[in-house]
């Protein structure tokens, strides 16, 4: 993390376990759905070891967040109810997801359609 990167002041999961709200010290805040976080997980299982290996993850419309575990002072591990727990969501990655969630979501839905997969 670069020293100028905003620091998160809050990570809060809603009562339905379907949305993670992330607030940053500079006032930025984002509501990220469990589905978006799961299908965009930074894990090698989803991202692969190169862009060509990235996997389009279908069938996660109903996924929920079980818990969030701190990892040092730079990231959080999100444990999902489908058993996935290997992605380390850095503060910078959560920020990037928040800032670009509409474009990423649009691209994800297009990938699903192109591969004839469903949410």
């Amino acid at each position: 993390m670069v020293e100028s990167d905003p620091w998160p002041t809050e990570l809060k999961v809603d009562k339905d376990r379907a949305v993670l709200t992330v607030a940053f010290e500079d006032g930025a805040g984002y509501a990220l759905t469990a589905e978006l976080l799961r299908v965009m997980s930074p894990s090698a299982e989803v991202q692969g070891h190169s862009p060509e290996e990235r996997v389009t993850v279908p069938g996660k419309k109903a996924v929920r967040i079980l818990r969030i575990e701190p990892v040092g002072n730079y990231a959080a591990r999100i444990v999902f109810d489908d058993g996935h727990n290997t992605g380390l969501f850095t503060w910078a990655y959560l920020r990037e997801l928040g800032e670009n969630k509409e474009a990423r979501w649009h691209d994800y839905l297009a990938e699903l359609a192109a591969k004839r997969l469903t949410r």
Side-chain angles (χ1 to χ4, degrees), residues 64-87:
R64 296 294 180 254
I65 297 168
L66 288 180
R67 66 184 176 277
I68 299 175
E69 302 169 347
V71 177
N73 63 358
Y74 68 96
R77 177 186 321 275
I78 300 176
V79 179
F80 297 92
D81 66 358
D82 67 351
H84 183 73
N85 66 356
T86 58

Side-chain angles (χ1 to χ4, degrees), residues 10-23 30-35 37 63-69 76-81 94:
E10 181 179 48
L11 296 175
K12 182 180 178 184
V13 179
D14 76 339
K15 66 179 177 126
D16 294 329
R17 321 288 303 160
V19 176
L20 171 66
T21 301
V22 183
Y30 307 99
L32 304 170
T33 66
E35 182 181 11
L37 292 164
V63 75
R64 296 294 180 254
I65 297 168
L66 288 180
R67 66 184 176 277
I68 299 175
E69 302 169 347
R77 177 186 321 275
I78 300 176
V79 179
F80 297 92
D81 66 358
L94 287 171

